[in-house]
């Protein structure tokens, strides 16, 4: 069973930045690609950023141009750089493979508020 541990969330003002990290217990992000998901109150969990086995990236329209997904294969770690944050970005953020094949971790709370 692969363990996923998200970190880096917190409270930030609109327009601010955060960098999220996701540590995995196995080399899943290289093998299967990686993805960042988020779930806001009253909403379904949605995929916001993904990186493929070959390194191609894709983003939800709502975050495109503001978020960047990357990975460190040596550390089995996935990252999400979030810039120009908006209140609408407030959610619990989760990492997984690009196809969400692993069990979910606890997530990390991101709150964008003044």
């Amino acid at each position: 069973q692969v363990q996923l541990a998200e970190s880096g969330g917190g409270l930030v003002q609109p327009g601010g930045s955060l960098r999220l990290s996701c540590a995995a217990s196995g080399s899943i992000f290289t093998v299967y690609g990686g993805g960042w998901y988020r779930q806001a109150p009253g909403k379904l969990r949605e995929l916001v950023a993904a990186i493929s086995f070959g390194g191609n990236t894709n983003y939800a329209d709502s975050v495109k141009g503001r978020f960047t997904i990357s990975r460190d294969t040596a550390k089995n770690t996935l990252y999400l750089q979030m810039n120009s944050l908006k209140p609408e970005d407030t959610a619990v953020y989760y990492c997984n493979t690009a196809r969400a094949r692993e069990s979910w971790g606890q997530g990390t709370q991101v709150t964008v508020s003044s």
Side-chain angles (χ1 to χ4, degrees):
Q1 300 294 319
V2 174
Q3 301 298 122
L4 299 169
E6 301 92 344
S7 62
L11 175 64
V12 64
Q13 295 185 32
S17 298
L18 285 172
R19 190 191 192 209
L20 307 184
S21 298
C22 172
S25 61
S27 302
I28 58 171
F29 300 133
T30 299
V31 175
Y32 299 108
W36 282 97
Y37 303 73
R38 69 185 182 189
Q39 186 168 27
K43 302 286 187 177
L44 296 175
R45 183 181 282 114
E46 63 172 340
L47 178 67
V48 297
I51 184 166
S52 73
F53 174 86
N56 293 325
T57 58
N58 285 286
Y59 301 91
D61 289 342
S62 59
V63 308
K64 193 173 184 178
R66 300 187 296 119
F67 291 11
T68 303
I69 187 171
S70 62
R71 64 188 170 194
D72 184 334
T73 57
K75 295 181 178 180
N76 300 322
T77 301
L78 194 68
Y79 301 98
L80 185 68
Q81 178 66 48
M82 306 186 296
N83 298 324
S84 302
L85 284 162
K86 305 175 180 179
E88 304 92 275
D89 296 318
T90 295
V92 178
Y93 284 71
Y94 302 87
C95 60
N96 212 306
T97 65
R99 296 293 297 274
R101 63 181 290 118
E102 306 296 338
S103 297
W104 299 103
Q106 295 299 306
T108 185
Q109 176 72 49
V110 172
T111 302
V112 185
S113 176
S114 59

